[in-house]
Amino acid sequence: MTEHKIYNENCFDTLNRLKGEGKKVNIILTSPPYNTARCVNTERAREILNQRYDIHFDNMTDEEYRNWTKDLFNEFDNVLAENGVILYNISYGSENPNAMWEAIEAIRSTNFMIADTIIWKKSSALPNNTSPNKLTRIVEFVFVICRKSEFGTFQANKGIKSVSERGQKYYENVFNYIEAPNNDGPCKLNKATYSSDLVLHLLNIYARENDVIYDPFMGTGTTIIGCHKFMGGRNNIVCYGSELSAAQIEFSENRIAEYKAKHFVESALF
């Protein structure tokens, strides 16, 4: 059964807490703030973007966002277990698409590197219908990130299909393309949630029994729901999270309790 704990604090505080307690995590799976509110053209558009979260304002400068990303990954390095992996879902704002790539570039100055890129095709698109030249986006990125020293050994679940006479192993195809819903439903506290089905797909590729998962931006509990879906809840996964909003934590706990009551009680009846 999945166990979880959500800390009502900044993720940097939680990372320091985990480090101080000597705890390690096998997978960091998250969708961080995209930092897109600052670059829009009108005050009204800025107001709408800032309403995505109940307390967080997504409006750092580009330089602040790059430095924040670098600091975040330096802290990840302290708690990620050997051969652990970071699954980092991030996209960009239509007014400043370079910001995402600059943030990803900042990771290169840490001990981490991009090992793979997964394309997430969502169920419905984000319209850009007021633009004469920018395309309507229906995909986002999930960057698979590992330590530079562990590029050849980081954790994944690819099965062996065959072994040649010389001992060469050939592995099954696991495609870097996932189709999953945009989210698990509307929430007035957070309008930038992602999908527990996406989380499940990622865990199927990278997670193992007894793993510890950490989401530094837990939001409405989507990562924990995905952990419960993993192996139908028949696992010993532990999931930690950080979340600034006490209201979102309360929402998460209620949502998780409802999910467990519905799915695990039903499964026990058959």
Side-chain angles (χ1 to χ4, degrees), residues 7-15 17 216 242-244 249:
Y7 296 95
N8 186 197
E9 61 189 15
N10 188 294
C11 64
F12 286 94
D13 294 328
T14 307
L15 287 162
R17 178 196 301 272
S242 305
E243 176 51 51
L244 290 172
I249 292 177

PDB file of all heavy atoms in Angstrom, residues 7-15 17 216 242-244 249:
ATOM      1  N   TYR A   7       4.244  17.840   3.213  1.00  0.00           N
ATOM      2  CA  TYR A   7       4.728  18.886   4.109  1.00  0.00           C
ATOM      3  C   TYR A   7       4.212  20.245   3.646  1.00  0.00           C
ATOM      4  O   TYR A   7       4.366  20.599   2.473  1.00  0.00           O
ATOM      5  CB  TYR A   7       6.259  18.898   4.141  1.00  0.00           C
ATOM      6  CG  TYR A   7       6.871  17.648   4.700  1.00  0.00           C
ATOM      7  CD1 TYR A   7       7.284  16.611   3.849  1.00  0.00           C
ATOM      8  CD2 TYR A   7       7.052  17.476   6.071  1.00  0.00           C
ATOM      9  CE1 TYR A   7       7.851  15.447   4.359  1.00  0.00           C
ATOM     10  CE2 TYR A   7       7.623  16.322   6.589  1.00  0.00           C
ATOM     11  CZ  TYR A   7       8.020  15.311   5.723  1.00  0.00           C
ATOM     12  OH  TYR A   7       8.584  14.167   6.226  1.00  0.00           O
ATOM     13  N   ASN A   8       3.618  20.997   4.558  1.00  0.00           N
ATOM     14  CA  ASN A   8       3.102  22.330   4.243  1.00  0.00           C
ATOM     15  C   ASN A   8       4.233  23.349   4.389  1.00  0.00           C
ATOM     16  O   ASN A   8       4.325  24.079   5.373  1.00  0.00           O
ATOM     17  CB  ASN A   8       1.935  22.655   5.171  1.00  0.00           C
ATOM     18  CG  ASN A   8       1.238  23.964   4.838  1.00  0.00           C
ATOM     19  OD1 ASN A   8       0.500  24.502   5.648  1.00  0.00           O
ATOM     20  ND2 ASN A   8       1.456  24.493   3.639  1.00  0.00           N
ATOM     21  N   GLU A   9       5.092  23.374   3.361  1.00  0.00           N
ATOM     22  CA  GLU A   9       6.266  24.246   3.409  1.00  0.00           C
ATOM     23  C   GLU A   9       6.885  24.336   2.026  1.00  0.00           C
ATOM     24  O   GLU A   9       6.534  23.588   1.103  1.00  0.00           O
ATOM     25  CB  GLU A   9       7.294  23.687   4.403  1.00  0.00           C
ATOM     26  CG  GLU A   9       7.821  22.304   4.045  1.00  0.00           C
ATOM     27  CD  GLU A   9       8.659  21.663   5.145  1.00  0.00           C
ATOM     28  OE1 GLU A   9       8.613  22.146   6.290  1.00  0.00           O
ATOM     29  OE2 GLU A   9       9.348  20.660   4.853  1.00  0.00           O
ATOM     30  N   ASN A  10       7.812  25.258   1.880  1.00  0.00           N
ATOM     31  CA  ASN A  10       8.586  25.392   0.657  1.00  0.00           C
ATOM     32  C   ASN A  10       9.392  24.111   0.425  1.00  0.00           C
ATOM     33  O   ASN A  10       9.917  23.507   1.372  1.00  0.00           O
ATOM     34  CB  ASN A  10       9.526  26.590   0.799  1.00  0.00           C
ATOM     35  CG  ASN A  10      10.229  26.941  -0.481  1.00  0.00           C
ATOM     36  OD1 ASN A  10      11.055  26.178  -0.987  1.00  0.00           O
ATOM     37  ND2 ASN A  10       9.946  28.115  -1.003  1.00  0.00           N
ATOM     38  N   CYS A  11       9.507  23.700  -0.841  1.00  0.00           N
ATOM     39  CA  CYS A  11      10.210  22.444  -1.128  1.00  0.00           C
ATOM     40  C   CYS A  11      11.668  22.487  -0.693  1.00  0.00           C
ATOM     41  O   CYS A  11      12.242  21.446  -0.343  1.00  0.00           O
ATOM     42  CB  CYS A  11      10.093  22.087  -2.606  1.00  0.00           C
ATOM     43  SG  CYS A  11      10.878  23.247  -3.744  1.00  0.00           S
ATOM     44  N   PHE A  12      12.289  23.662  -0.684  1.00  0.00           N
ATOM     45  CA  PHE A  12      13.679  23.746  -0.232  1.00  0.00           C
ATOM     46  C   PHE A  12      13.779  23.355   1.243  1.00  0.00           C
ATOM     47  O   PHE A  12      14.764  22.737   1.666  1.00  0.00           O
ATOM     48  CB  PHE A  12      14.235  25.145  -0.472  1.00  0.00           C
ATOM     49  CG  PHE A  12      14.523  25.435  -1.922  1.00  0.00           C
ATOM     50  CD1 PHE A  12      13.580  26.058  -2.720  1.00  0.00           C
ATOM     51  CD2 PHE A  12      15.739  25.084  -2.491  1.00  0.00           C
ATOM     52  CE1 PHE A  12      13.831  26.317  -4.061  1.00  0.00           C
ATOM     53  CE2 PHE A  12      16.011  25.342  -3.822  1.00  0.00           C
ATOM     54  CZ  PHE A  12      15.050  25.959  -4.614  1.00  0.00           C
ATOM     55  N   ASP A  13      12.758  23.715   2.030  1.00  0.00           N
ATOM     56  CA  ASP A  13      12.745  23.318   3.439  1.00  0.00           C
ATOM     57  C   ASP A  13      12.585  21.808   3.573  1.00  0.00           C
ATOM     58  O   ASP A  13      13.234  21.172   4.403  1.00  0.00           O
ATOM     59  CB  ASP A  13      11.609  24.037   4.179  1.00  0.00           C
ATOM     60  CG  ASP A  13      11.817  25.541   4.244  1.00  0.00           C
ATOM     61  OD1 ASP A  13      12.981  25.976   4.296  1.00  0.00           O
ATOM     62  OD2 ASP A  13      10.811  26.274   4.233  1.00  0.00           O
ATOM     63  N   THR A  14      11.716  21.216   2.748  1.00  0.00           N
ATOM     64  CA  THR A  14      11.534  19.767   2.798  1.00  0.00           C
ATOM     65  C   THR A  14      12.800  19.040   2.367  1.00  0.00           C
ATOM     66  O   THR A  14      13.197  18.037   2.977  1.00  0.00           O
ATOM     67  CB  THR A  14      10.367  19.327   1.899  1.00  0.00           C
ATOM     68  OG1 THR A  14       9.201  20.067   2.229  1.00  0.00           O
ATOM     69  CG2 THR A  14      10.086  17.840   2.067  1.00  0.00           C
ATOM     70  N   LEU A  15      13.448  19.545   1.323  1.00  0.00           N
ATOM     71  CA  LEU A  15      14.679  18.910   0.857  1.00  0.00           C
ATOM     72  C   LEU A  15      15.755  18.956   1.947  1.00  0.00           C
ATOM     73  O   LEU A  15      16.482  17.978   2.154  1.00  0.00           O
ATOM     74  CB  LEU A  15      15.164  19.595  -0.422  1.00  0.00           C
ATOM     75  CG  LEU A  15      14.325  19.283  -1.663  1.00  0.00           C
ATOM     76  CD1 LEU A  15      14.585  20.314  -2.770  1.00  0.00           C
ATOM     77  CD2 LEU A  15      14.598  17.874  -2.182  1.00  0.00           C
ATOM     78  N   ARG A  17      15.075  19.064   5.116  1.00  0.00           N
ATOM     79  CA  ARG A  17      14.571  18.143   6.140  1.00  0.00           C
ATOM     80  C   ARG A  17      14.968  16.698   5.790  1.00  0.00           C
ATOM     81  O   ARG A  17      15.482  15.956   6.633  1.00  0.00           O
ATOM     82  CB  ARG A  17      13.049  18.265   6.230  1.00  0.00           C
ATOM     83  CG  ARG A  17      12.395  17.321   7.226  1.00  0.00           C
ATOM     84  CD  ARG A  17      10.891  17.240   6.963  1.00  0.00           C
ATOM     85  NE  ARG A  17      10.233  18.515   7.059  1.00  0.00           N
ATOM     86  CZ  ARG A  17       9.752  19.040   8.169  1.00  0.00           C
ATOM     87  NH1 ARG A  17       9.888  18.369   9.305  1.00  0.00           N
ATOM     88  NH2 ARG A  17       9.137  20.205   8.159  1.00  0.00           N
ATOM     89  N   PRO A 216       8.066  17.830  -5.238  1.00  0.00           N
ATOM     90  CA  PRO A 216       8.281  19.098  -4.531  1.00  0.00           C
ATOM     91  C   PRO A 216       7.173  20.123  -4.735  1.00  0.00           C
ATOM     92  O   PRO A 216       7.150  21.136  -4.042  1.00  0.00           O
ATOM     93  CB  PRO A 216       9.611  19.598  -5.101  1.00  0.00           C
ATOM     94  CG  PRO A 216       9.749  18.925  -6.423  1.00  0.00           C
ATOM     95  CD  PRO A 216       9.051  17.605  -6.303  1.00  0.00           C
ATOM     96  N   SER A 242       5.788  18.300  -1.074  1.00  0.00           N
ATOM     97  CA  SER A 242       5.816  19.633  -0.480  1.00  0.00           C
ATOM     98  C   SER A 242       4.733  20.469  -1.140  1.00  0.00           C
ATOM     99  O   SER A 242       4.505  20.361  -2.352  1.00  0.00           O
ATOM    100  CB  SER A 242       7.177  20.310  -0.712  1.00  0.00           C
ATOM    101  OG  SER A 242       8.236  19.521  -0.244  1.00  0.00           O
ATOM    102  N   GLU A 243       4.079  21.317  -0.363  1.00  0.00           N
ATOM    103  CA  GLU A 243       3.049  22.192  -0.912  1.00  0.00           C
ATOM    104  C   GLU A 243       2.878  23.412  -0.005  1.00  0.00           C
ATOM    105  O   GLU A 243       2.711  23.275   1.206  1.00  0.00           O
ATOM    106  CB  GLU A 243       1.720  21.450  -1.053  1.00  0.00           C
ATOM    107  CG  GLU A 243       0.554  22.295  -1.529  1.00  0.00           C
ATOM    108  CD  GLU A 243       0.884  23.082  -2.790  1.00  0.00           C
ATOM    109  OE1 GLU A 243       1.379  22.472  -3.762  1.00  0.00           O
ATOM    110  OE2 GLU A 243       0.668  24.308  -2.789  1.00  0.00           O
ATOM    111  N   LEU A 244       2.961  24.596  -0.614  1.00  0.00           N
ATOM    112  CA  LEU A 244       2.827  25.836   0.147  1.00  0.00           C
ATOM    113  C   LEU A 244       1.405  26.070   0.637  1.00  0.00           C
ATOM    114  O   LEU A 244       1.197  26.692   1.670  1.00  0.00           O
ATOM    115  CB  LEU A 244       3.258  27.018  -0.728  1.00  0.00           C
ATOM    116  CG  LEU A 244       4.745  27.146  -1.057  1.00  0.00           C
ATOM    117  CD1 LEU A 244       4.952  28.252  -2.085  1.00  0.00           C
ATOM    118  CD2 LEU A 244       5.544  27.441   0.206  1.00  0.00           C
ATOM    119  N   ILE A 249      -3.434  21.119   0.363  1.00  0.00           N
ATOM    120  CA  ILE A 249      -3.128  19.902   1.111  1.00  0.00           C
ATOM    121  C   ILE A 249      -4.410  19.281   1.650  1.00  0.00           C
ATOM    122  O   ILE A 249      -4.610  18.062   1.568  1.00  0.00           O
ATOM    123  CB  ILE A 249      -2.127  20.199   2.250  1.00  0.00           C
ATOM    124  CG1 ILE A 249      -0.759  20.567   1.664  1.00  0.00           C
ATOM    125  CG2 ILE A 249      -2.002  18.986   3.176  1.00  0.00           C
ATOM    126  CD1 ILE A 249       0.271  20.943   2.699  1.00  0.00           C
TER     127      ILE A 249
END
